[in-house]
Amino acid sequence: MLPAFVQIVLILALLMATAPPLGHYMAGVFQGQSTWLDPVIGPLERLIFAGSGIAQGRTMTGRRYISALLISNLVMGILVFLIFMLQGSLPLNPTGLSAPSWDLALHTAISFVTNTNQQHYAGETTYSYFAQVGALGFLMFTSAATGIAVAIAFIRGLAGQPLGNFYQDLVRSITRILLPISLVGAIALLIAGVPETLAGPAQVTTLEGATQWIARGPVAHFEIIKQLGENGGGFFGINSAHPFENPNNFTNLLETVIMMVIPAGLIITYGIMAGNPKQGWLIFWMVFVFYAILISITTAGEFQGNPLVNQILGETQPNLEGKEVRFGWALTALWAVSTTGTMCGAVNGMHDSLMPPGGFVTLSNLFLQIIWGGQGTGTAYLFVFLILTVFLTGLMVGRTPEFLGRKIEKREIVLASLILLIHPIAILVPAAITLAFPEILSGISNPGFHGISQVVYEYASAAANNGSGFEGLGDNTLWWNLSASFSLMAGRYVPIVALILLADGMARKQSVPETSGTLRTDTPLFTGVTAGAIVILGALTFLPILVLGPVAEGFNLASRL
């Protein structure tokens, strides 16, 4: 096996090699340019558009775009909820699973339609093959495509272009991006040892002569869209730590890169579509630097290990609790930073077992949502920070606050502030209520500071549409299913509505000629100021809760030596 440092560098190099070409390709797709997939995908798209009545080239206003998005998501969510409640009567149910409780079914439907895939259940013992593939797999494509469509509409609006047509962008996101990559990726996973079968659990006899049932199913194609679409919901309860989802180092490498490639590529897509590739690259490298720093903090904490355990052993050993030996501490730490940075939420080890630096980083990623950000919506969050930075720096230096040749005024600042403020509201308010009644509501399995992190992480994961968790929390209860559903919807739809309204307003503004008083946003200096603004705004909002959780846990651990 390659040394840990070399493995991490290899994955980062693959990301840098694949994201920019994909970014160029996505820009071509949404600018209506010809691509090499046209001969195959073109007829399929025309059939879909003709059958559904979608008028190609017909753009939508901001309100129509929002209406189309919300109604389609509502219909899909209701359909999937009904499938869950009727799964006992539906086909492809080899183990005869009955319907889950209504609150669990509701939470699961909301979780997957919002591209969160937060799971308060174990897939192999809760949902049938039909429910997992026909319902959850369906939402993995459509929810990811919804996020991409929002990002593209937002980019168009910032660049002064019409927002486009939601349904057309949704279809093209699936047919030209998600589906082709998923087909190739699923075949690669299948060759690498990930199962794909509709047969029921396998019966085996153990060495002791006992009978054991081994869950399996149509995993390979489920796994690839789980990673590519930043969905994160595992076919099995332990997600990508399961050997059927992630059997070896090759699949781990593929799944790590594939979860980051679209959000990283969308930054390059922005630069091309906005007519400012330089700014796209500057933002790309800003996020990459953030990402590398957070990887360093997490890997340092895991490499140093638990000091209490090291004291007993008499030597320093990496922290291997909650980790699969086939990946080790380094690749688990890299995955943890990547999955919380991209809003994927899949796990190849237990985040509950991370050392305090790892807990600090994963929570920080969920709070900031821009490294690399959610599927499409994370890219939009980046430019919300840019807009706020333009406004703040313009006020400080006495220059006109403009972005891409359009003035930043009161309406844009109000909407940008709403986008950033709804996130702490969706996290801190329900977390405070839960922690006020710990014995009745929380389900905490760890005492002290780590228990606080467990609760806050669950709501942060829901509000950030991530889905991962500090496992051990007793979260399949009426309270958790309903309160987390509130955070899921608030964290998804309030920002999306505000983003589309903001983009629509920017698209309607007259372009302002650049003058000596215009603040340029495509310079290293401005990018550095943006990075500082991101850190400061994030710290002002969430530092107190980080101090109460992983920071306090780290100091408490050190004090016990």
Side-chain angles (χ1 to χ4, degrees):
M1 183 183 294
L2 293 172
F5 175 76
V6 176
Q7 294 179 68
I8 292 175
V9 170
L10 175 61
I11 289 176
L12 296 184
L14 286 172
L15 174 64
M16 289 186 287
T18 54
L22 181 61
H24 280 268
Y25 170 76
M26 289 190 291
V29 166
F30 293 109
Q31 287 178 321
Q33 299 172 2
S34 298
T35 68
W36 61 276
L37 281 175
D38 283 356
V40 178
I41 300 300
L44 174 62
E45 286 181 346
R46 287 191 290 272
L47 181 64
I48 294 172
F49 293 145
S52 59
I54 298 173
Q56 292 193 62
R58 182 180 178 183
T59 189
M60 292 180 170
T61 64
R63 294 185 182 279
R64 286 197 63 191
Y65 204 100
I66 292 167
S67 175
L69 187 153
L70 294 179
I71 291 173
S72 64
N73 276 229
L74 177 62
V75 171
M76 289 186 288
I78 292 173
L79 172 64
V80 167
F81 175 78
L82 293 175
I83 290 175
F84 293 155
M85 298 309 294
L86 298 172
Q87 77 169 1
S89 304
L90 295 174
L92 296 179
N93 187 5
T95 52
L97 294 171
S98 58
S101 64
W102 70 268
D103 53 298
L104 176 60
L106 178 65
H107 174 268
T108 306
I110 293 173
S111 180
F112 277 75
V113 82
T114 57
N115 197 228
T116 309
N117 294 26
Q118 189 177 56
Q119 295 176 286
H120 291 173
Y121 64 90
E124 64 268 45
T125 58
T126 307
Y127 290 116
S128 66
Y129 291 174
F130 186 88
Q132 294 235 59
V133 176
L136 301 183
F138 161 71
L139 288 181
M140 283 182 173
F141 279 96
T142 57
S143 64
T146 297
I148 295 174
V150 169
I152 297 302
F154 188 72
I155 292 169
R156 288 179 182 137
L158 291 185
Q161 303 167 11
L163 299 184
N165 185 295
F166 169 72
Y167 297 115
Q168 184 171 314
D169 290 340
L170 181 78
V171 170
R172 286 184 172 173
S173 296
I174 294 173
T175 58
R176 293 181 179 268
I177 299 169
L178 297 174
L179 188 58
I181 300 175
S182 294
L183 286 172
V184 176
I187 293 171
L189 290 178
L190 188 61
I191 294 172
V194 178
E196 180 77 14
T197 178
L198 293 177
Q203 180 180 350
V204 298
T205 302
T206 66
L207 294 175
E208 292 82 9
T211 299
Q212 181 177 349
W213 295 92
I214 300 176
R216 54 184 176 177
V219 183
H221 82 280
F222 191 92
E223 184 71 16
I224 191 65
I225 188 56
K226 179 190 90 173
Q227 300 297 117
L228 178 66
E230 287 187 51
N231 294 285
F235 194 91
F236 302 102
I238 59 172
N239 211 281
S240 292
H242 197 291
F244 283 177
E245 290 198 30
N246 191 10
N248 51 56
N249 272 324
F250 169 76
T251 59
N252 190 77
L253 181 149
L254 175 62
E255 292 175 25
T256 304
V257 173
I258 212 74
M259 81 168 83
M260 295 184 285
V261 70
I262 289 180
L266 276 171
I267 299 175
I268 305 301
T269 301
Y270 156 79
I272 297 169
M273 294 184 66
N276 197 339
K278 179 182 177 182
Q279 186 180 51
W281 277 106
L282 285 170
I283 297 170
F284 179 92
W285 289 116
M286 178 192 76
V287 177
F288 188 88
V289 169
F290 272 131
Y291 179 52
I293 291 171
L294 295 177
I295 291 172
S296 301
I297 294 171
T298 305
T299 53
E302 298 307 302
F303 178 72
Q304 292 170 3
N306 189 321
L308 298 180
V309 175
N310 292 340
Q311 194 174 49
I312 296 172
L313 296 175
E315 60 178 338
T316 300
Q317 289 287 339
N319 174 34
L320 295 178
E321 180 191 346
K323 297 175 176 63
E324 284 296 311
V325 293
R326 62 187 186 276
F327 307 134
W329 63 272
L331 293 183
T332 305
L334 173 65
W335 183 296
V337 178
S338 303
T339 195
T340 51
T342 60
M343 303 304 114
C344 176
V347 297
N348 72 345
M350 296 300 104
H351 290 189
D352 188 53
S353 298
L354 292 171
M355 298 302 297
F360 180 92
V361 165
T362 52
L363 275 169
S364 297
N365 275 340
L366 298 178
F367 294 153
L368 293 177
Q369 302 189 84
I370 53 95
I371 309 166
W372 296 89
Q375 188 73 293
T377 53
T379 308
Y381 267 88
L382 267 173
F383 300 110
V384 169
F385 278 112
L386 277 174
I387 289 170
L388 288 174
T389 304
V390 167
F391 183 75
L392 294 173
T393 52
L395 291 178
M396 288 189 291
V397 302
R399 292 194 175 189
T400 306
E402 298 170 4
F403 188 66
L404 296 179
R406 285 161 180 80
K407 288 185 178 181
I408 304 299
E409 298 175 303
K410 177 183 175 181
R411 184 175 186 271
E412 287 72 48
I413 297 305
V414 169
L415 289 170
S417 300
L418 174 63
I419 291 166
L420 296 184
L421 287 174
I422 192 62
H423 193 52
I425 291 172
I427 297 170
L428 300 179
V429 171
I433 296 172
T434 302
L435 291 170
F437 304 95
E439 295 182 358
I440 302 173
L441 300 179
S442 70
I444 294 173
S445 61
N446 286 281
F449 305 116
H450 196 85
I452 295 175
S453 295
Q454 274 189 312
V455 170
V456 173
Y457 193 108
E458 188 76 2
Y459 287 116
S461 175
N465 300 141
N466 180 264
S468 63
F470 268 21
E471 296 309 330
L473 193 70
D475 51 21
N476 187 15
T477 64
L478 182 64
W479 166 254
W480 274 113
N481 287 332
L482 296 184
S483 63
S485 294
F486 159 77
S487 296
L488 289 165
M489 291 188 290
R492 176 72 164 182
Y493 294 114
V494 174
I496 280 180
V497 170
L499 286 169
I500 296 300
L501 291 177
L502 194 159
D504 190 44
M506 292 289 284
R508 295 173 185 272
K509 290 178 179 287
Q510 291 294 323
S511 179
V512 179
E514 185 175 317
T515 67
S516 58
T518 301
L519 178 66
R520 293 191 62 85
T521 59
D522 58 353
T523 64
L525 176 60
F526 181 81
T527 306
V529 173
T530 302
I534 291 170
V535 172
I536 292 171
L537 289 172
L540 288 174
T541 306
F542 291 109
L543 186 58
I545 200 67
L546 288 170
V547 169
L548 287 173
V551 173
E553 184 182 358
F555 278 108
N556 182 56
L557 189 62
S559 69
R560 294 169 61 186
L561 292 176

